[in-house]
Amino acid sequence: MSRRFTPKVVTANHLLEGDSVWLTVDDRWTRNMAEAELIEDEAHAQIRLLMAESQPNVVVGAYLADARRGPRGPEPIHFREVFRTRGPSNHAHGKQVEVGNV
Amino acid sequence: MYEYSEFDTAFVRERVAQFRAQVERRIDGALTEDEFKPLRLMNGLYLQLHAYMLRVAVPYGTLDPAKMRQLAHIAERWDKGYGHFTTRQNIQFNWPRLRDVPDMLDALADVGMHAIQTSGNTIRNVTSDHFAGAAADEIADPRPFAELIRQWSTDHPEFQFLPRKFKVAVTGSPNDRAVIKSHDIGLRMLRKGDEIGFEVVLGGGLGRTPMIAKVIRDFLPVADLLPYLESIVSVYNQLGRRDNKFKARVKITVHEHGIDRIRELVEAEFALRRSTFGGADQQILREIEARFRRPTLRDGRPADAYEASRAADPVFRAWADTNLVAHRHPDHAIVTISLKAHGATPGDASADQMRVMADLAEEFGHDELRVSHEQNIVLPHVHKADLPAVHARLAAAGLGTANIGLVSDIIACPGMDYCALATARSIPIAQQIATRFDELKLEHDIGPIKLKISGCINACGHHHVGHIGILGLDRAGVENYQITLGGDGTEAASIGERTGPGFPADEIVGAVERLIGAYLKHRESAEETFLETYRRLGMAPFKEALYGDERQRNAA
Ligand code: HEM
Ligand code: SF4
């Protein structure tokens, strides 16, 4: 019995800033998860992860995170990934207040 | 305050220069993350959920105004204008950029501070009581002993490859304020006739297998300290398990062999080692003692202003009742500054607040500040006549909260708002609980209680020793909070017991409120504390408050 593959995004921390970034279709790293590539195929996910891991001078700790298709692009599923798109809940710091991220 | 020697300063500068080069090499690609990670961790730099985090050591939790002002400067120049004081008596900056970290380290070195982390399976930093050198109940200042142990264990050839890391805590009074029973070795100072010595406890620890340390020696004369500690570590070095990281801590060794067997082995070892020390250690102790500056407290200045303010100002009186502790000098007091304003993040202080605290230490506090393991700041030596002025300045800076030891004086680890290892958030839970009890205006009536929250099983928030402990977990993709009751981190230490199923985030505040309600209903008098009521009645009434009547539950 084959399980259905949960769509993924490739995500990591930026080497210089340390903040969360996501891999786009055109091989950029974005700070807005909605712009990330939503990967719906397992083999493709592995290829994209390898691609991320081959950029150790740009990002740290790349991994595949579960995601789903939303109206504006990929959305996080697990609460940890939700927090990574926003920043901490105790201060208005991080992505929730940074430009380019609505 | 302990003065750094020339050697230490040169060493710290050299380490910063090395790290600057390592950061450059990481950025230009010469170092991989696998190569760089151990180097950055050694320099206190962690990669968290949203950013890097720099953890700055505060040896013995002791700061002076110059250091505190420099922390404020670093917070403004390279971070977001605040710092976070932790239960490990250090400060963390949550938003440094990789390129800026070497400059931050240089700025620290300018005031004799560093972020170097002890690592490896050696004897780790030795901690002591945050009221050291000031408390009325103190027998002797524990810090020189802590420093003696640190110097002796650093580079001790026999102990560089212990089965696991090893932490020691020392308290200078019979009342334990250093949570010594959750350390590998705890030393509690006692007096026996004219002699000073230590009760030695072994094998405590929190984390995933919490254990309370057991007494291995009920009285160890001060002069025997190092040979005895060396004997313990030597026995551990032989018996400790190296096959399994999770079973390697001395708490497991004690658990597996029994404290009586360990005691026999240690005493046999001690009989051999004792004579080899020959008093050199006592000479070093005296030198260390001479290097701890102690304030010259003024006698004879009247403290009437204090009593007058107490009588006239109920806000001042409430603060004095909760935030002051008796000083060994009767005209002085130990002030604890609460970093737990209701609804704020436990342990956070803004740069401006740091400067206010530095100014107060300078004007009224003999240049001393301490970081307590309960995430507050202590002014250890304030003359009582100055307390009204100190309180007024604190209050104006948002630092006047009168809640030390009360339900809103919550210890919370960073949890999933910052920490990459977390399974749930802790800070917002602390904020909501504090806000709720402030609304209820009940906390002074509830009285002393320790509420502690961790965001994962590593237990950085010490939830196991909270009277009420809260552990945040991930239950099938939802934050869930497990409650433990009856933990205690003092000399009567105990590990809290689980109440039952956990609660989702939006129910945990109500659950804590029901627990407190049960306590208020069942306590024999206002003098009986939450912990005493729990110890008298056990879990049943609290379980009922949390989960409802058992019969109803079965019927449901
Ligand atoms: C946010 C970054 C942090 C990380 C990644 C972290 C990680 C850990 C880990 C993995 C352990 C278990 C160590 C072991 O047993 O080998 C630990 C223990 C501990 N942490 Fe943290 N921690 C962090 C922050 C804090 C903070 C902010 C505090 C103070 C509030 C703290 C206080 C402690 C204490 C006291 C222990 C020892 C508990 C024991 O006795 O077992 N940690 N930490
Ligand atoms: S207890 Fe867990 S979540 Fe909290 S700081 Fe420690 S490692 Fe992070």
Side-chain angles (χ1 to χ4, degrees):
Chain A
M1 205 180 77
S2 74
R3 269 190 305 124
R4 260 197 68 193
F5 178 70
T6 309
K8 300 280 189 287
V9 289
V10 177
T11 182
N13 287 75
H14 194 265
L15 172 65
L16 297 180
E17 310 294 329
D19 65 336
S20 347
V21 287
W22 292 266
L23 187 62
T24 63
V25 179
D26 54 351
D27 295 352
R28 287 178 302 114
W29 289 98
T30 175
R31 295 192 149 79
N32 180 356
M33 182 176 172
E35 292 176 5
E37 173 184 11
L38 186 71
I39 308 168
E40 289 175 288
D41 173 82
E42 187 156 14
H44 186 56
Q46 290 307 323
I47 291 168
R48 298 301 282 158
L49 181 60
L50 281 175
M51 144 81 196
E53 286 169 343
S54 72
Q55 299 186 26
N57 304 334
V58 184
V59 296
V60 181
Y63 62 95
L64 294 167
D66 289 351
R68 67 172 147 246
R69 187 177 298 282
R72 285 179 298 128
E75 291 176 351
I77 294 178
H78 193 273
F79 58 88
R80 184 178 193 273
E81 295 303 316
V82 176
F83 301 152
R84 289 180 75 248
T85 66
R86 289 204 303 238
S89 41
N90 63 326
H91 289 294
H93 291 156
K95 298 204 157 15
Q96 55 202 332
V97 293
E98 280 158 12
V99 282
N101 204 50
V102 215
Chain B
M1 173 85 36
Y2 188 72
E3 302 281 354
Y4 269 82
S5 68
E6 293 298 322
F7 167 78
D8 290 339
T9 310
F11 173 75
V12 170
R13 289 286 182 195
E14 193 187 309
R15 280 284 292 268
V16 176
Q18 279 173 2
F19 189 59
R20 187 180 292 281
Q22 288 156 354
V23 167
E24 283 312 313
R25 290 168 58 216
R26 175 70 185 96
I27 292 173
D28 70 23
L31 284 178
T32 65
E33 184 61 20
D34 284 349
E35 290 162 339
F36 181 63
K37 188 174 176 186
L39 302 172
R40 68 167 162 77
L41 291 177
M42 264 161 47
N43 287 285
L45 186 64
Y46 298 73
L47 185 53
Q48 305 243 82
L49 212 54
H50 311 294
Y52 287 95
M53 178 272 279
L54 185 67
R55 176 180 284 170
V56 177
V58 182
Y60 307 119
T62 303
L63 290 167
D64 62 19
K67 291 188 166 80
M68 190 64 121
R69 289 190 185 112
Q70 190 74 336
L71 295 175
H73 167 68
I74 290 171
E76 277 176 346
R77 174 98 167 65
W78 293 291
D79 206 90
K80 292 191 188 288
Y82 75 101
H84 178 72
F85 290 96
T86 82
T87 59
R88 279 177 169 176
Q89 294 177 284
N90 52 33
I91 179 169
Q92 301 187 349
F93 292 107
N94 284 326
W95 302 94
R97 281 171 305 192
L98 181 58
R99 272 192 207 285
D100 293 336
V101 173
D103 291 342
M104 296 170 84
L105 296 177
D106 262 330
L108 288 170
D110 289 345
V111 290
M113 297 184 78
H114 63 79
I116 298 168
Q117 301 293 309
T118 46
S119 60
N121 293 330
T122 60
I123 297 182
R124 292 290 188 86
N125 60 329
V126 184
T127 51
S128 78
D129 178 347
H130 49 271
F131 295 158
D137 60 3
E138 184 170 279
I139 296 168
D141 190 337
R143 292 168 300 168
F145 296 98
E147 179 61 16
L148 176 69
I149 297 166
R150 189 191 71 79
Q151 290 188 8
W152 155 79
S153 64
T154 305
D155 301 328
H156 191 302
E158 193 176 343
F159 305 140
Q160 295 310 304
F161 298 98
L162 296 173
R164 198 79 170 80
K165 67 185 174 185
F166 207 86
K167 293 187 200 162
V168 183
V170 194
T171 174
S173 78
N175 298 307
D176 174 13
R177 286 179 290 261
V179 209
I180 66 167
K181 287 192 175 169
S182 41
H183 286 73
D184 297 286
I185 291 182
L187 299 166
R188 183 163 73 105
M189 205 175 290
L190 297 173
R191 207 190 287 279
K192 192 170 160 188
D194 290 339
E195 203 177 7
I196 294 177
F198 293 102
E199 176 190 68
V200 184
V201 298
L202 182 68
L206 299 175
R208 59 185 74 226
T209 329
M211 300 240 185
I212 295 297
K214 298 187 172 62
V215 177
I216 182 162
R217 181 68 108 84
D218 49 23
F219 189 82
L220 179 74
V222 159
D224 289 336
L225 180 60
L226 291 191
Y228 192 79
L229 290 187
E230 198 176 272
S231 306
I232 293 179
V233 183
S234 158
V235 167
Y236 169 56
N237 212 3
Q238 292 158 38
L239 291 185
R241 287 177 61 169
R242 291 165 200 271
D243 57 325
N244 180 340
K245 186 176 152 187
F246 293 112
K247 303 212 159 153
R249 289 290 284 266
V250 72
K251 62 188 176 188
I252 307 292
T253 318
V254 170
H255 185 71
E256 286 182 348
H257 295 262
I259 190 73
D260 295 329
R261 174 77 186 129
I262 304 274
R263 185 182 300 113
E264 277 169 29
L265 294 169
V266 169
E267 292 294 339
E269 193 67 39
F270 178 59
L272 302 175
R273 288 189 186 244
R274 188 180 183 191
S275 60
T276 63
F277 271 72
D281 51 324
Q282 295 307 302
Q283 181 55 37
I284 297 171
L285 179 64
R286 277 184 289 277
E287 283 165 22
I288 292 171
E289 278 172 341
R291 289 177 59 178
F292 270 93
R293 273 195 282 126
R294 287 205 181 72
T296 320
L297 303 176
R298 273 204 289 154
D299 280 316
R301 183 175 163 212
D304 310 351
Y306 169 66
E307 293 303 339
S309 286
R310 271 191 75 93
D313 178 356
V315 176
F316 175 74
R317 188 168 61 238
W319 176 81
D321 284 344
T322 49
N323 294 41
L324 301 182
V325 166
H327 195 281
R328 66 187 151 79
H329 189 294
D331 293 340
H332 288 70
I334 303 175
V335 174
T336 302
I337 302 171
S338 171
L339 299 185
K340 314 282 178 72
H342 299 105
T345 303
D348 275 7
S350 69
D352 286 339
Q353 290 178 327
M354 290 183 211
R355 289 196 187 97
V356 169
M357 294 188 280
D359 292 347
L360 293 175
E362 196 165 77
E363 286 173 55
F364 304 112
H366 298 268
D367 286 342
E368 264 201 68
L369 297 137
R370 308 263 175 86
V371 184
S372 84
H373 68 83
E374 301 189 324
Q375 298 180 285
N376 293 307
I377 299 292
V378 174
L379 298 172
H381 316 286
V382 180
H383 195 282
K384 284 184 176 169
D386 294 327
L387 289 169
V390 168
H391 173 251
R393 299 256 296 266
L394 288 172
L399 291 167
T401 312
N403 65 346
I404 298 303
L406 303 182
V407 69
S408 61
D409 184 10
I410 299 171
I411 292 189
C413 79
M416 206 182 276
D417 286 303
Y418 297 91
C419 180
L421 302 175
T423 43
R425 289 175 297 178
S426 349
I427 291 171
I429 304 300
Q431 291 174 300
Q432 288 161 29
I433 292 173
T435 304
R436 180 66 187 138
F437 281 97
D438 191 37
E439 285 163 8
L440 293 172
K441 295 290 166 230
L442 264 181
E443 65 176 331
H444 289 268
D445 186 30
I446 297 163
I449 184 163
K450 303 271 185 213
L451 205 155
K452 301 178 193 251
I453 310 177
S454 303
C456 82
I457 196 70
N458 284 316
C460 300
H462 297 177
H463 65 275
H464 298 298
V465 292
H467 303 171
I468 299 178
I470 298 178
L471 169 62
L473 296 169
D474 175 349
R475 284 279 177 265
V478 180
E479 288 170 293
N480 187 277
Y481 295 88
Q482 207 172 72
I483 297 178
T484 48
L485 293 179
D488 179 7
T490 69
E491 60 283 355
S494 54
I495 299 286
E497 209 184 312
R498 268 182 59 184
T499 55
F503 295 86
D506 58 357
E507 289 177 19
I508 185 70
V509 178
V512 171
E513 211 179 311
R514 294 202 297 282
L515 285 172
I516 300 288
Y519 155 65
L520 291 175
K521 182 170 141 202
H522 291 289
R523 70 181 176 185
E524 283 185 324
S525 71
E527 276 66 53
E528 190 179 64
T529 63
F530 180 91
L531 185 62
E532 286 162 356
T533 303
Y534 174 81
R535 285 183 170 162
R536 179 169 56 82
L537 295 177
M539 187 68 97
F542 296 97
K543 254 185 145 145
E544 187 174 326
L546 284 180
Y547 305 105
D549 188 292
E550 191 150 359
R551 278 158 306 170
Q552 281 172 6
R553 266 186 291 143
N554 291 342

